[in-house]
Amino acid sequence: MAERHRPFALIRALLQIMAFGNILAIVAQVVQLDGPATRRFEVLPSALLATQPSTELRIQAISVSIQDPGVYQTVLDLLAGPLPLDLATLPMIWYALRLLDRITATQPFTEATATALRRLGLVVLIVGAASEIVRNVAVYLLEATVVPAGARMFVFDYTLSVWWLMLGLVLFAFAQIIRYGRSLRAELDEVI
């Protein structure tokens, strides 16, 4: 019996390490141990009061940064960085740990496991998408605090991450595999 739980114990330990690392990362970001997450963004040259450059030189964007942010800008700065992702992974890890505990207490190939995997996939999809939306809205609002509306170049962040989409779909696929395996097993039991 202990042999059967060994792979789950390793996965459980890795998930706990990930949760601890995420908590440390969240604290470090809030305290800003490594400095501001962002405060640098691109603006159109028309935002500057300088004269237009020569026709031979085309400036498409200028990088600006906020030197002395207020509280609102600091909060937006935190939300524009990796903080939403770190906060989003905590409920995913918590739900995965609960699922592992349930699997080790019973059999892994049950209808309850398939349902729990589908729920975990849904949590990953919802929370992952929410973290990306929060991050991009925070970048937009942070930029709006210092750059006039006509000079903003907001486009969704080019580092838009969709890791959560793939992970959520993989979890849905595993749930479907378990559900299909259960139905095959039920048919086999009827034949025998």
Side-chain angles (χ1 to χ4, degrees):
M1 189 73 154
E3 189 69 31
R4 182 179 70 125
H5 296 296
R6 183 174 296 162
F8 296 123
L10 177 62
I11 293 169
R12 190 176 207 311
L14 289 173
L15 284 171
Q16 288 173 330
I17 290 169
M18 284 178 59
F20 182 71
N22 267 17
I23 291 169
L24 285 179
I26 291 167
V27 170
Q29 290 168 39
V30 170
V31 178
Q32 292 189 348
L33 294 178
D34 60 346
T38 182
R39 286 190 187 125
R40 186 175 301 275
F41 39 82
E42 306 290 314
V43 296
L44 294 172
S46 61
L48 299 179
L49 300 175
T51 61
Q52 292 289 348
S54 70
T55 56
E56 297 166 9
L57 177 66
R58 287 197 155 207
I59 299 175
Q60 294 179 347
I62 299 168
S63 181
V64 297
S65 62
I66 301 171
Q67 296 298 321
D68 193 19
V71 174
Y72 178 64
Q73 290 170 324
T74 302
V75 169
L76 288 175
D77 181 45
L78 285 170
L79 294 175
L83 184 63
L85 171 64
D86 290 336
L87 289 171
T89 53
L90 284 177
M92 294 176 208
I93 293 171
W94 175 78
Y95 198 88
L97 285 169
R98 283 189 48 207
L99 177 60
L100 281 176
D101 289 342
R102 185 179 311 137
I103 288 172
T104 55
T106 63
Q107 291 292 326
F109 300 105
T110 64
E111 186 63 32
T113 300
T115 302
L117 277 172
R118 288 184 62 207
R119 285 184 187 146
L120 179 57
L122 189 61
V123 167
V124 167
L125 291 175
I126 291 171
V127 175
S131 73
E132 286 298 316
I133 291 169
V134 166
R135 190 172 59 82
N136 279 288
V137 167
V139 168
Y140 177 78
L141 293 174
L142 179 64
E143 185 178 330
T145 63
V146 292
V147 179
R152 283 189 224 138
M153 291 184 54
F154 180 75
V155 179
F156 277 106
D157 192 356
Y158 66 91
T159 60
L160 183 68
S161 175
V162 291
W163 61 268
W164 48 271
L165 182 60
M166 188 170 93
L167 180 58
L169 294 176
V170 165
L171 288 167
F172 280 129
F174 279 137
Q176 192 61 32
I177 290 168
I178 289 174
R179 184 166 281 137
Y180 183 66
R182 293 273 306 150
S183 69
L184 287 178
R185 177 65 185 231
E187 286 178 22
L188 183 62
D189 288 343
E190 287 176 13
V191 170
I192 296 177

